[in-house]
Amino acid sequence: MKFTDLNLSQDVLQAISAMGFEEPSPIQAKAIPIAMEHKDMIGQAQTGTGKTTAFGVPLIEQIDENREGIQGLVLAPTRELAIQVAEELNRIGQVKGVRTLPIYGGQDITRQIKALKKRPQIIAATPGRLMDHMKRKTIRLNQIQMVVLDEADEMLNMGFIDDIETILAGITSSYQMMLFSATMPTRIQSLAEKYMNDPEIVKVKAKTMTVKNIEQHYIEIQEKRKFEILCNLLDIHSPERAIVFGRTKKRVDELVGALMKRGYSAEGIHGDISQAKRNQVIRRFKDQTIEIMVATDVAARGLDIKGVSHIYNFDIPQDPESYVHRIGRTGRAGEKGQAITFVTPREISQLKTIEQVTKTKIARQPVPTVSDVIEENKQAAIEDIKKAAEKGDHYEYKQIAENLLEDMDSVTALAAALKLLTKKPDATPVTLSEVPPIRVKKDKGGKKQKRRGSGGHNRRSKGRSRRKYG
DNA sequence: AAAAAAG
């Protein structure tokens, strides 16, 4: 099947082909025709299945670019995701002239208000800031024709369901709705029942859900040795782009510091880092100014960055779902990817759970040693010499080399040069502070945790007492 | 216990 079989406008087809797409992914092939008939739709699809284009194409097609007012609304759980969705929609809508504006917290609101005055037809938003605009009446939702809930289960996990309901209640026009979610918990189902009109359900089969082109391994390792081993792995793999996932914000900060101390180009991203900085880190990671991005789970979901060759779970993820999302940042668009998870002996049972739930075998890998690194560096030095020899711009060195060979034999000279070229592993000492252990959820059959009744908004008091030190 | 999201 081709995009040209989907009854799309010339403008959209041209934009898609400029983006380098020819064949729709399974979810796109199913979702686009349904949505084009103005039907409500639920898409159960994991990360990396081409969801954004699946809702983006019908969304853009249905926009009247000559009309004023916001006609399309996409809600996403994280700011980065909102930005990324807006970028993708802008690409799809480029030829047709449909403009999408990202609306998210942490960015100067007057700047957003100014941008809203330029009349985007679509906004891609995180819930909090959108509600802020609604209260300020700087956004009108009386022209909305299509609403998309992206990563709905994650928005549920993050406690956005009430916000979503508030937002939906604030839309005065009638609209078509598309909902995307990797899982379908009851609360999502009831949300769908309440707000959707006889939705068609599109599932992407488990086969395409599992991420086949990602090599998955784990290394059993003591907490204290994690950093050394991470460095060894980075040296051996020399990844094009790598994401290192840590469990806490503090952990991420410390890892970045430690990596930089060892001379790696790494920057961190987590919820306490300013939004401007977060955006900058993503940009720098994309354009390869930095090779390593260290992140909390803020970057686990949905981020679509090309050329992420390696994922390192420095700390094992909380739950199987998080695992799937984290490793899904690699192996995108048919590329190959490697995911390596550090597991301390006490965390082995969690790894087993991940294997069971994801129905994949995660193979154990031996701990890479310093001599592995040196071996790898030797190979790299050899490659460098070969490449330089092929390049042939070393004319000025030839005479020196010949002089040198009068004093010693060629093997000795080359061996010495190779030794000099072989990088030594950096052993700058670093210490990371301890990370609090994960409390393992025990599901003692039947007793389900329930949310407290309505009005049970968990508000944090300002003067919340905090234990200082011991 | 931690993370995200409105300041």
Side-chain angles (χ1 to χ4, degrees):
Chain A
M1 198 195 228
K2 294 251 157 79
F3 274 107
T4 42
D5 303 326
L6 286 173
N7 242 334
L8 305 176
S9 68
Q10 276 311 312
D11 285 354
V12 169
L13 280 176
Q14 199 187 321
I16 288 173
S17 119
M19 290 161 76
F21 298 148
E22 279 180 13
E23 290 178 10
S25 75
I27 184 106
Q28 291 161 2
K30 286 181 188 167
I32 292 172
I34 296 170
M36 293 284 281
E37 285 175 38
H38 304 276
K39 284 184 192 156
D40 283 356
M41 199 208 83
I42 295 175
Q44 191 167 358
Q46 213 87 24
T47 170
T49 47
K51 270 185 303 168
T52 314
T53 304
F55 64 74
V57 165
L59 179 53
I60 302 286
E61 285 286 11
Q62 288 174 48
I63 298 290
D64 178 353
E65 70 274 26
N66 298 314
R67 226 180 70 198
E68 295 205 332
I70 298 157
Q71 299 162 55
L73 167 64
V74 183
L75 288 176
T78 69
R79 298 167 179 178
E80 279 72 19
L81 222 45
I83 295 168
Q84 184 180 288
V85 166
E87 282 172 354
E88 180 112 357
L89 295 185
N90 275 322
R91 278 195 286 269
I92 302 172
Q94 197 170 25
V95 184
K96 187 171 175 185
V98 174
R99 296 179 306 276
T100 304
L101 180 71
I103 290 289
Y104 54 91
Q107 192 192 35
D108 180 14
I109 196 158
T110 57
R111 195 174 134 192
Q112 281 178 2
I113 293 169
K114 255 186 215 159
L116 281 163
K117 288 193 175 135
K118 289 190 185 156
R119 297 280 171 200
Q121 293 94 347
I122 302 171
I123 54 174
T126 48
R129 180 55 71 89
L130 175 56
M131 293 202 316
D132 198 358
H133 278 288
M134 287 165 73
K135 271 186 215 137
R136 292 167 185 250
K137 302 206 187 301
T138 45
I139 277 184
R140 285 180 169 279
L141 302 181
N142 58 354
Q143 306 269 336
I144 298 284
Q145 291 184 59
M146 166 109 80
V147 173
V148 181
L149 305 184
D150 199 7
E151 306 270 3
D153 50 353
E154 184 59 11
M155 290 203 278
L156 169 87
N157 289 342
M158 285 163 63
F160 285 157
I161 281 284
D162 294 344
D163 293 358
I164 290 171
E165 296 217 26
T166 308
I167 291 164
L168 293 180
I171 302 175
T172 51
S173 50
S174 67
Y175 54 88
Q176 176 188 357
M177 186 157 142
M178 298 175 85
L179 181 156
F180 290 86
S181 194
T183 57
M184 282 296 151
T186 344
R187 289 204 79 192
I188 299 275
Q189 286 173 29
S190 44
L191 184 84
E193 265 167 43
K194 194 165 163 190
Y195 288 95
M196 300 177 93
N197 184 16
D198 190 23
E200 285 220 28
I201 298 174
V202 172
K203 276 190 194 176
V204 176
K205 277 190 203 127
K207 208 177 171 186
T208 30
M209 272 168 108
T210 53
V211 259
K212 270 205 166 164
N213 38 345
I214 304 176
E215 259 184 57
Q216 301 177 50
H217 292 276
Y218 79 93
I219 295 177
E220 189 176 336
I221 181 185
Q222 300 289 343
E223 188 64 52
K224 287 208 163 97
R225 294 187 63 207
K226 280 184 176 178
F227 185 71
E228 290 309 313
I229 303 309
L230 175 67
C231 293
N232 290 354
L233 286 171
L234 287 169
D235 293 346
I236 293 167
H237 296 155
S238 34
E240 184 183 350
R241 285 188 192 81
I243 305 178
V244 179
F245 282 104
R247 214 169 79 73
T248 66
K249 292 181 271 205
K250 189 180 168 201
R251 184 76 144 178
V252 167
D253 289 339
E254 289 189 351
L255 263 170
V256 170
L259 284 168
M260 295 207 315
K261 224 167 152 186
R262 286 275 179 99
Y264 297 96
S265 67
E267 285 187 275
I269 172 169
H270 62 63
D272 281 354
I273 287 171
S274 80
Q275 192 55 44
K277 179 71 183 168
R278 277 162 66 170
N279 294 355
Q280 187 201 52
V281 171
I282 297 229
R283 264 202 316 276
R284 286 158 65 89
F285 187 55
K286 278 185 180 166
D287 67 24
Q288 275 185 303
T289 311
I290 50 167
E291 284 170 8
I292 305 164
M293 182 163 83
V294 188
T296 60
D297 275 336
V298 66
R301 286 203 174 226
L303 275 196
D304 192 9
I305 298 170
K306 279 202 188 71
V308 177
S309 53
H310 292 76
I311 301 292
Y312 302 99
N313 288 316
F314 194 78
D315 301 312
I316 193 167
Q318 304 269 36
D319 46 61
E321 237 188 303
S322 165
Y323 177 82
V324 173
H325 282 106
R326 284 182 180 187
I327 69 163
R329 298 313 101 224
T330 185
R332 298 185 75 80
E335 294 171 337
K336 290 245 185 282
Q338 259 201 74
I340 294 178
T341 302
F342 288 170
V343 186
T344 62
R346 58 190 297 187
E347 291 166 345
I348 289 290
S349 66
Q350 276 161 263
L351 181 85
K352 296 295 165 206
T353 314
I354 292 173
E355 281 189 307
Q356 275 168 19
V357 175
T358 61
K359 296 190 181 79
T360 40
K361 173 82 184 142
I362 304 171
R364 182 168 175 172
Q365 184 182 296
V367 178
T369 61
V370 177
S371 47
D372 292 338
V373 175
I374 294 169
E375 190 48 44
E376 182 62 33
N377 289 353
K378 278 182 194 161
Q379 295 304 321
I382 293 168
E383 286 306 310
D384 285 352
I385 287 197
K386 279 188 187 163
K387 259 187 217 152
E390 255 170 49
K391 214 177 165 199
D393 59 351
H394 43 266
Y395 181 77
E396 50 184 317
Y397 290 89
K398 282 200 164 162
Q399 191 54 54
I400 309 174
E402 270 170 31
N403 293 346
L404 194 62
L405 287 181
E406 278 170 21
D407 301 331
M408 63 181 93
D409 67 292
S410 56
V411 173
T412 309
L414 189 52
L418 272 171
K419 191 182 175 198
L420 282 176
L421 264 177
T422 301
K423 281 186 210 120
K424 310 278 175 304
D426 188 340
T428 313
V430 283
T431 36
L432 301 176
S433 47
E434 284 199 11
V435 72
I438 304 175
R439 198 176 56 199
V440 185
K441 263 192 241 160
K442 281 227 169 108
D443 202 46
K444 286 181 194 162
K447 209 186 172 190
K448 260 195 181 172
Q449 255 200 336
K450 270 199 178 162
R451 276 176 74 103
R452 298 277 289 274
S454 64
H457 219 74
N458 260 345
R459 278 193 51 198
R460 258 177 241 152
S461 65
K462 269 190 185 168
R464 174 188 184 203
S465 69
R466 232 225 187 104
R467 199 136 70 99
K468 295 260 159 103
Y469 296 95

